[in-house]
Amino acid sequence: MGSCATVIAFNASANPPGPRGTDIRALVYAALKSDPATSHYTRNQTFRMRAIKQEKDGDRHIRMDRYYKGLPVIGGDLVLHMTKDGELKGVSQTLTSEPTFGTKPQLSAEDAWTSAFKRTPLREGKPGGKGKKGALLSKDSVRNARAGSRLVVWAGKKKPRLAYENVIRGAYADSTPAEVHTYVDAESGKVLGTRDRYMNERGVGKTLYSGQVPLETSPGKQGGFELTDSTRGGMTTVDANNQCAPQDPDPNCLNGGRGAWR
């Protein structure tokens, strides 16, 4: 969605500035409130803007995180599409209904941790395993994850629910880093979902003479994946303008300008 232009936290239940105010906060508030059935806006929600992209005609696309009674809504982020005058054009989101429940859990944080740890692929192990088996997990990692359990709103599937998020950090036996997030229903103790922050995906490239070839990729710092091959010393493929990677130590690679190669 482009580079981040501003970060503003605001309360959706607060009174917006006067009609003459033209700041982006007032426009976003008005757009959310204009169609709550679409935006799933409620007075108990707050929002934090992460990025703004503005088109040549003045239309804006604003990426935001959603909070409910102070709790982050996992899966509740959205992109608000507005005209240059602040009118709502649409909302891109996966949330299907707004949360309307209390935030007092029936399940204890300790019981939630027990459920989460049973489901994590990480276990205390020793180096030397193959692939992602025999994952390495230190006692400090376990202790930190146990103490770091927090309440969230889980909106990954169907109706939002109050849940605990447990984050376990470690490494797999092949040295691949791991950061596994596990979400446990704060009422029933059922595991609602898990995700690993770090993923490696193999892509496919089309060549002029060799047909399709597999491509090793690595997670990008800004999301998505980069053509960096961690299996061959971190070799990086750059764009068609021969731009050098920022971390490239090769003095023969010219950064900036035309990005030419000597």
Side-chain angles (χ1 to χ4, degrees), residues 101-199:
F101 44 77
T103 56
K104 184 177 181 180
Q106 295 188 19
L107 190 74
S108 69
E110 182 66 22
D111 288 340
W113 159 252
T114 300
S115 296
F117 192 67
K118 288 179 180 179
R119 284 288 298 271
T120 180
L122 298 176
R123 290 289 183 269
E124 291 188 50
K126 297 180 179 180
K130 295 182 179 180
K132 290 193 173 184
K133 295 181 179 181
L136 307 178
L137 186 60
S138 68
K139 292 182 178 180
D140 287 341
S141 297
V142 175
R143 182 169 57 250
N144 292 337
R146 194 171 195 165
S149 179
R150 66 168 182 167
L151 281 173
V152 300
V153 174
W154 167 255
K157 293 181 180 180
K158 300 180 180 180
K159 189 177 180 180
R161 302 187 66 84
L162 185 66
Y164 284 98
E165 179 187 47
N166 290 272
V167 182
I168 304 177
R169 297 176 176 87
Y172 293 104
D174 61 358
S175 298
T176 302
E179 183 179 300
V180 179
H181 296 241
T182 303
Y183 301 95
V184 180
D185 192 306
E187 180 178 350
S188 67
K190 179 183 177 181
V191 174
L192 300 172
T194 62
R195 67 178 180 89
D196 193 334
R197 179 183 177 187
Y198 302 106
M199 297 183 296

Side-chain angles (χ1 to χ4, degrees), residues 7 53 148 158 227:
V7 176
K53 179 180 179 181
K158 300 180 180 180
L227 290 177

Side-chain angles (χ1 to χ4, degrees), residues 2-250:
S3 59
C4 182
T6 184
V7 176
I8 304 174
F10 66 98
N11 193 315
S13 63
N15 293 323
R20 293 194 301 172
T22 58
D23 66 283
I24 192 65
R25 182 177 63 176
L27 294 175
V28 168
Y29 173 88
L32 287 166
K33 190 176 180 180
S34 68
D35 190 356
T38 298
S39 65
H40 299 306
Y41 156 89
T42 64
R43 62 185 303 274
N44 291 316
Q45 295 180 24
T46 56
F47 299 83
R48 181 177 294 274
M49 282 187 275
R50 291 171 51 192
I52 300 175
K53 179 180 179 181
Q54 183 165 321
E55 305 289 352
K56 292 182 179 180
D57 61 4
D59 287 359
R60 296 185 180 95
H61 312 280
I62 304 170
R63 181 177 295 276
M64 299 186 294
D65 292 325
R66 186 190 306 260
Y67 297 81
Y68 173 69
K69 295 185 177 180
L71 302 180
V73 181
I74 309 301
D77 54 312
L78 67 152
V79 179
L80 199 68
H81 309 288
M82 299 193 312
T83 67
K84 63 180 180 180
D85 298 322
E87 294 182 5
L88 181 66
K89 293 183 66 176
V91 179
S92 298
Q93 61 183 344
T94 58
L95 190 69
T96 57
S97 63
E98 62 275 7
T100 57
F101 44 77
T103 56
K104 184 177 181 180
Q106 295 188 19
L107 190 74
S108 69
E110 182 66 22
D111 288 340
W113 159 252
T114 300
S115 296
F117 192 67
K118 288 179 180 179
R119 284 288 298 271
T120 180
L122 298 176
R123 290 289 183 269
E124 291 188 50
K126 297 180 179 180
K130 295 182 179 180
K132 290 193 173 184
K133 295 181 179 181
L136 307 178
L137 186 60
S138 68
K139 292 182 178 180
D140 287 341
S141 297
V142 175
R143 182 169 57 250
N144 292 337
R146 194 171 195 165
S149 179
R150 66 168 182 167
L151 281 173
V152 300
V153 174
W154 167 255
K157 293 181 180 180
K158 300 180 180 180
K159 189 177 180 180
R161 302 187 66 84
L162 185 66
Y164 284 98
E165 179 187 47
N166 290 272
V167 182
I168 304 177
R169 297 176 176 87
Y172 293 104
D174 61 358
S175 298
T176 302
E179 183 179 300
V180 179
H181 296 241
T182 303
Y183 301 95
V184 180
D185 192 306
E187 180 178 350
S188 67
K190 179 183 177 181
V191 174
L192 300 172
T194 62
R195 67 178 180 89
D196 193 334
R197 179 183 177 187
Y198 302 106
M199 297 183 296
N200 289 310
E201 293 289 340
R202 173 170 289 188
V204 176
K206 295 182 178 179
T207 68
L208 289 175
Y209 306 107
S210 303
Q212 292 188 346
V213 296
L215 298 174
E216 297 292 340
T217 65
S218 298
K221 294 181 180 179
Q222 303 299 323
F225 294 88
E226 298 174 347
L227 290 177
T228 300
D229 189 348
S230 60
T231 67
R232 294 179 175 83
M235 295 177 61
T236 298
T237 301
V238 293
D239 63 22
N241 291 322
N242 293 328
Q243 295 292 332
C244 304
Q247 70 274 17
D248 196 333
D250 186 353

